């Protein structure tokens, strides 16, 4: 004990016995809003940290429209090639051409980059950004690797 | 609303009908006018009756006509006024060809705008010529970025204008005292922590941000940026800001994220110019550049301040090979944050990193001497260095309060806001400058990066109607390379009572032993006297072989306690447990055995389905 500060030293073994502590937590205090890009109800969450600033860019709206369209139509068996969203894709491409300067920078290939498409719809959301962005809501104890150096959180 | 004014056609119809009625009343009856009445002497009885009734009708009719006429006239006036008002209202929303030199935009637009009308209305009052933005952010730092992302996510076509004083686009601050010092200098010069494009500290390159004009014309919204300008006045009721170049801008919702500027040391502030030229108040990219360049030319540096910034820079400069002094007022590095024993330990580690840490000392004088700065310390010692870096704290940028009648918090500094980060309707404050009410931990102001991000995001969500309180706690971390690394959440104040559990390093057969008087640590014995009923283990107390005077604080968790609850958690060299820390803070663990709670942070990484 150092005055008001109590210190306990333990061995690794002592610490690996299961804890008896009971923790009751408030969802709002452990999750910062909806988690992940694809929500349990099937909707897309553009506030996901994985989106980064893409939806806020000069063509953010067009991209959002196209991606949403693509996502909802991907389930449509009648249109396997996704022609339903052609107009939205065209609008997006036009916008990108207009803002070439920014998107050229964004889209250009970078040998150092191991780019992971955040919009690839898969079950595994990936462990990209900081802590709570990809928590599997059903599990209460989640393995985390907070990456404080990440730029988007 | 214009429907309330009945159409003039209706009135005209009713007006024209009346004279006919009146006429009908007066003279369709044979000789039943006043003239006639006077002539109707022989039909007196009936005529009298008729005439009196008739005169009554006449007067009524006359008054009705007159009053109706007056009524119609006044309504017409109102209608004119109404259409005036309507156009003024329109003009407020739909600006007229532009008065503003900065924003050459000629039209303002709302999401549901009527731009065609605006060009026809004339300039009635000066306010109607000003550009209006739905979302305005004052300050171009981290909070602004998370705010605009949150706004755009919830309001997809939003137009957001950011006004920043610094010449740079928004960037991430932590690398300026951490990563940038440990990468290749050529890469660091460009403010990148790696060779990849994504390793830039800037959140977005400049082309991401639209000019104010382009922003106004952007049909589907976007984010605009004005760099190098300062907002000098804000009127929360008129929802108007004034820039330092005279520009006036109207807004609907505004976020203040003005951050802070570094405090100066009283001695350095009043020193000679030669001394001041060699002093850096570290905060921005330009300060980083200055110090980074100085490293190549200098041999020695003194850092005044023992907090996060000072300690991180000290380790970085020590790493770079400079003779580094760190002058600390407290007893050890991070003395205001870590419990004393840990602060002492940290100081030792910083010293091992190559820094000469001078504790419990202040600078009393600073003189220019032979191309160096000679600092005199409070114990009389003098040290001479090539450069001085001052890291003594942050002054929140609350200049706006003087001109804008915004409430300041005296205890914590910063603008005072509620739990939803709102100062008044339509005005939010986030980041370093926000003194907000945390419903769990009380009123606070936090100067860390993750808080800037979390509060900016929350403010952005609330600006789009979320009405959320600050409940999700922000974290902070520090890396004092290469030995010390920790993450923390909640209130981390060395004045609070703490309870810590450290894991002994496995390799060494270290045995517990009673501490010497100097280090003043005691191994807790198993007792039941503790008020919280915590179990305190005693290690196997076989005779120790190697008597080391100091304990190794290898890996551990520190709980900061207030009123019996855990209000802060510091994870010392433990990673991947922030989520768990959040859970613990959320719970508070008043009645828990803290030893058991601590175990949660040492458990190996695995998924559990139940908690």
């Amino acid at each position: 004990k150092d005055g008001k500060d109590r210190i306990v030293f333990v061995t690794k073994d002592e610490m690996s016995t299961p804890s008896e502590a009971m923790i009751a937590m408030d969802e709002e205090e452990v999750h910062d809003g909806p988690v992940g890009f694809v929500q349990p109800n099937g909707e897309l969450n553009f506030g996901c940290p994985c989106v980064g600033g893409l939806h806020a860019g000069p063509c953010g709206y067009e991209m959002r429209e196209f991606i949403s369209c693509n996502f909802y139509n991907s389930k449509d068996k009648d249109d396997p090639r996704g022609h339903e969203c052609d107009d939205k894709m065209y609008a997006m491409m036009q916008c990108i051409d207009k803002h070439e300067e920014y998107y050229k920078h964004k889209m250009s290939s970078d040998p150092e980059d191991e780019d992971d498409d955040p919009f690839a719809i898969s079950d595994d959301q990936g462990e990209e950004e900081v802590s709570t962005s990809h928590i599997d809501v059903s599990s209460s104890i989640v393995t985390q690797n907070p990456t404080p150096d990440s730029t988007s959180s | 609303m214009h429907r309330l004014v009945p159409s003039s056609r209706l009135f005209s119809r009713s007006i024209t009908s009346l004279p006919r009625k009146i006429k009908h009343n007066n003279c369709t009856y044979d000789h039943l006018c006043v003239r006639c009445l006077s002539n109707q002497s022989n039909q007196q009885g009936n005529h009298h009756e008729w005439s009196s009734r008739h005169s009554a009708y006449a007067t009524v009719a006359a008054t009705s006509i007159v009053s109706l006429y007056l009524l119609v006239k006044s309504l017409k006036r109102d209608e004119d006024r109404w259409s005036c008002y309507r156009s003024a209202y329109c003009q407020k929303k739909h600006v007229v060809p532009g008065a503003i030199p900065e924003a050459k935009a000629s039209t303002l637009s709302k999401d549901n705008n009527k731009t065609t009308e605006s060009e026809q209305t004339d300039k009635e009052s000066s306010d109607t010529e000003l550009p209006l933005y739905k979302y305005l952010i004052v300050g171009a730092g981290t909070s602004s970025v998370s705010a605009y992302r949150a706004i755009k996510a919830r309001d997809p076509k939003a137009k957001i204008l950011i006004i920043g004083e610094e010449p740079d686009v928004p960037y991430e601050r932590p690398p300026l005292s951490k990563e940038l010092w440990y990468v290749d200098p050529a890469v660091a010069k460009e403010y990148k922590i790696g060779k990849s494009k994504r390793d830039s500290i800037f959140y977005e390159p400049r082309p991401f941000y639209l000019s104010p004009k382009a922003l106004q014309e952007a049909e589907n919204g976007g984010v605009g940026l004005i760099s190098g300008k300062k907002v000098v006045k804000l009127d929360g009721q008129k929802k108007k800001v004034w820039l330092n170049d005279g520009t006036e801008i109207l807004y609907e919702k505004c976020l203040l994220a003005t951050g802070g500027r570094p405090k100066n040391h009283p001695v350095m502030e009043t020193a000679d110019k030669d001394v001041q030229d060699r002093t850096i108040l570290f905060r921005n990219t330009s300060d980083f550049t200055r110090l980074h360049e100085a490293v190549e030319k200098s041999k020695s540096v003194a850092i005044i301040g023992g907090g996060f910034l000072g300690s991180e820079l000290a380790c970085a400069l020590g790493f770079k090979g400079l003779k580094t002094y760190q002058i600390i007022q407290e007893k050890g590095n991070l003395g205001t944050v870590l419990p004393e024993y840990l602060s002492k330990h940290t100081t030792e580690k910083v010293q091992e990193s190559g820094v000469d840490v001078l504790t419990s000392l202040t600078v009393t004088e600073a003189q220019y001497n032979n191309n160096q700065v000679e600092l005199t310390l409070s114990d009389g010692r003098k040290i001479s260095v090539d450069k001085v870096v001052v890291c003594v704290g942050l002054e929140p940028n609350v200049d706006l309060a003087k001109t804008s009648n915004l409430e300041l918090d005296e205890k914590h500094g910063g603008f005072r806001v509620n739990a939803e980060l709102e100062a008044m309707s339509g005005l939010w404050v986030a980041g370093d400058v926000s003194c907000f009410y945390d419903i769990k931990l009380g009123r606070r102001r936090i100067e860390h990066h993750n808080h800037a991000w979390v509060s900016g995001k929350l403010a952005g969500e609330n600006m789009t109607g979320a009405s959320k309180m600050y409940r999700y706690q922000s974290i902070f971390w520090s890396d004092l390379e290469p030995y010390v690394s920790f993450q923390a959440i909640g209130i981390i104040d060395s004045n609070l009572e703490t309870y810590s559990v450290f894991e002994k390093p496995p390799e060494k057969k270290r045995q517990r032993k009673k501490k010497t008087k100097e280090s003043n640590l005691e191994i807790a014995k198993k007792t039941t006297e503790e008020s919280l009923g915590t179990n305190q283990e005693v290690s196997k107390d076989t005779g120790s072989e190697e008597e080391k005077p100091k304990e190794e604080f290898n890996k551990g968790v520190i709980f900061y306690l207030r009123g019996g609850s855990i209000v802060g958690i510091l994870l010392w060299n433990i990673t991947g447990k922030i989520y768990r820390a959040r859970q613990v803070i959320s719970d508070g663990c008043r009645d828990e055995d803290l030893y058991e709670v601590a175990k949660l942070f040492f458990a190996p990484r695995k998924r559990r389905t139940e908690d």
Side-chain angles (χ1 to χ4, degrees), chain A residues 9 19 24 102 108 141 149, chain B residues 179 197 204 512 580 587 596:
Chain A
F9 292 92
S19 172
Y102 172 67
S108 67
I141 306 292
D149 305 336
Chain B
E179 291 91 333
K197 251 183 241 183
E204 300 282 358
R512 293 287 216 75
R580 208 162 295 192
D587 181 282
E596 295 296 323

Side-chain angles (χ1 to χ4, degrees), chain B residues 137-380:
Chain B
I137 301 179
V138 179
T142 296
S143 290
S144 316
V145 176
S146 58
Y148 76 62
R149 287 189 186 180
I151 294 171
K152 257 297 207 170
R154 294 168 56 90
D155 187 354
K157 290 195 184 186
K159 292 188 190 184
I160 305 156
L161 180 67
I162 303 176
I163 304 173
E165 212 183 344
E166 285 184 58
D168 290 314
V169 290
Y171 57 88
E172 202 186 343
R173 204 173 294 287
L176 293 181
S177 61
K178 299 182 185 65
E179 291 91 333
L180 285 180
W181 292 98
Y182 298 95
V183 295
D184 182 0
V187 166
K189 276 199 174 90
E190 294 171 18
Y191 306 117
K192 285 164 71 169
I193 59 173
K195 296 214 182 81
S196 164
K197 251 183 241 183
R198 281 163 50 158
D199 291 332
S200 170
I201 65 171
F202 298 105
Y203 291 105
E204 300 282 358
R206 196 165 276 276
F208 173 92
Y209 304 98
L210 307 172
S211 69
K213 176 175 192 282
L215 179 65
Q216 301 228 327
E217 290 165 7
E219 201 185 289
N220 292 322
V223 182
L225 175 65
I226 298 177
S227 288
K229 295 274 188 262
K230 185 174 172 176
V231 171
V232 293
K233 183 175 167 178
L234 180 142
D235 188 324
Q237 279 200 300
K238 288 195 190 146
K239 302 210 172 167
K240 187 164 154 181
V241 296
W242 286 257
L243 304 192
N244 56 347
D245 66 353
T247 312
E248 295 173 26
I249 299 175
L250 295 169
Y251 66 84
E252 276 184 43
K253 289 156 200 255
C254 179
L255 171 65
L256 291 185
T258 48
R261 62 178 154 269
K263 282 189 188 156
N264 203 343
H265 189 277
V267 169
M268 308 311 293
E269 210 172 3
T270 51
D272 296 332
K273 184 178 183 303
D274 287 316
V275 169
Q276 296 217 21
D277 283 345
R278 285 163 177 76
T279 305
I280 299 172
L281 291 184
F282 196 88
R283 176 81 177 156
N284 295 336
T285 45
S286 50
D287 303 320
F288 169 80
T289 303
R290 224 178 123 203
L291 187 59
H292 198 239
E293 282 169 7
V295 160
E296 286 152 32
K297 299 170 202 155
S298 312
K299 293 210 179 67
S300 57
V301 65
I303 297 172
I304 306 178
F308 290 103
L309 190 59
S311 307
E312 284 167 11
L313 281 176
C315 288
L317 295 172
F319 172 78
K320 285 282 191 188
L322 272 96
K323 172 82 191 108
T324 314
Y325 296 96
Q326 190 179 4
I327 303 155
I328 301 180
Q329 219 173 0
E330 297 86 25
K331 290 185 195 168
N333 288 82
L334 307 181
T336 53
V337 160
L338 301 176
E340 201 174 314
Y341 65 89
L342 207 52
S343 169
K344 271 197 201 134
H345 169 80
T346 306
T347 309
E348 287 158 23
K349 290 299 173 196
V350 171
Q351 281 168 330
E352 278 176 45
S353 306
V355 180
D356 196 350
V357 185
L358 308 166
T359 55
S360 304
L361 291 169
T362 56
V363 172
T364 52
E365 266 181 62
Q367 296 290 334
Y368 175 70
N369 193 359
N370 198 21
N371 218 21
Q372 285 196 313
V373 174
E374 188 188 63
L375 299 171
T376 310
L377 307 179
S378 42
D379 64 353

